[in-house]
Amino acid sequence: MKIYELSQEVFSCVVFPGDPAPKREILATLSAGDACNLTAFSMCAHNGTHVDAPYHFLNDGVTVEQLPLAQTVGYAYLAEHEGIVTAEDAKAILGRAQRALPESAKRILLKGRATVSADAARVFAEAGLLLLGNESQTVGPEQAPREVHLILLSAGVTLLEGIRPREAGEGVYLLSAAPLALGGADGAPCRALLIDLEGEV
């Protein structure tokens, strides 16, 4: 079994333009004679590698702690793609996932500088996806992300943004990306992992 880290380090992570960046405060240190080392921090729920809940764009959508764990934990298909993801690209990615392992086609992760188009979002939504992940800090175009978010979140697709697949190649993995249970929040950071079961699926 091999485990791949998908998460960005929090204090050096990429921040969506206009969002506050994570901040660290050292409350106590052993070197200063304190009883322990103690850190406090503050951050936006959408810094670095994070999960978007429907409430992010939908007032009547579920908040992050209400998301079923099965949305963010289970078999997933990592697909390599550069550029705009078209409807045809989305269909091809889903087809590769279905052939590899049908259950993995419910959670699609995009490796590369990929931007999901509205047409691709509709294909993913109609396919009944549980989760869509990508490397960018937003799943749609950075200048106009609303439409793609609404299409996916309205269909119950959880979004996992800001992933870093690094050495992991295209294929089937076990994904663990449960968000922090921040009550009433529109999103939350997570420690996202890909587990290669080495032919056990």
Side-chain angles (χ1 to χ4, degrees):
M1 181 176 73
K2 185 167 184 179
I3 300 175
Y4 295 94
E5 172 75 74
L6 290 184
S7 298
Q8 300 176 51
E9 190 282 318
V10 171
F11 295 113
S12 61
C13 72
V14 178
V15 176
F16 188 80
D19 287 352
K23 294 181 180 177
R24 173 171 41 197
E25 180 184 0
I26 305 301
L27 301 180
T29 64
L30 290 168
S31 60
D34 297 314
C36 64
N37 293 315
L38 187 62
T39 302
F41 66 94
S42 64
M43 65 184 295
C44 172
H46 299 268
N47 289 157
T49 306
H50 66 278
V51 168
D52 282 4
Y55 184 63
H56 187 33
F57 278 84
L58 302 164
N59 266 335
D60 60 351
V62 300
T63 51
V64 74
E65 86 286 3
Q66 296 172 324
L67 289 171
L69 289 176
Q71 298 279 121
T72 56
V73 179
Y75 288 115
Y77 190 83
L78 179 66
E80 298 182 10
H81 188 88
E82 296 288 332
I84 302 294
V85 181
T86 66
E88 289 306 310
D89 293 329
K91 291 173 185 175
I93 290 167
L94 288 168
R96 296 200 300 274
Q98 281 283 354
R99 289 189 294 275
L101 182 72
E103 176 62 19
S104 74
K106 292 293 183 182
R107 298 174 197 83
I108 299 295
L109 306 174
L110 301 174
K111 178 179 181 176
R113 294 179 178 271
T115 300
V116 177
S117 67
D119 288 340
R122 291 186 188 95
V123 171
F124 287 134
E126 289 166 8
L129 242 62
L130 296 176
L131 176 140
L132 180 64
N134 66 305
E135 292 202 39
S136 172
Q137 291 305 114
T138 183
V139 71
E142 188 174 293
Q143 302 77 8
R146 182 175 174 80
E147 182 181 14
V148 171
H149 276 80
L150 285 174
I151 292 167
L152 293 166
L153 294 173
S154 295
V157 182
T158 297
L159 303 179
L160 174 60
E161 297 172 327
I163 62 172
R164 294 293 183 270
R166 301 180 182 92
E167 296 89 6
E170 178 154 342
V172 175
Y173 298 88
L174 185 62
L175 170 70
S176 175
L180 293 180
L182 303 181
D186 45 85
C190 68
R191 184 75 180 266
L193 306 171
L194 280 184
I195 302 168
D196 185 351
L197 298 176
E198 298 181 348
E200 294 180 23
V201 298

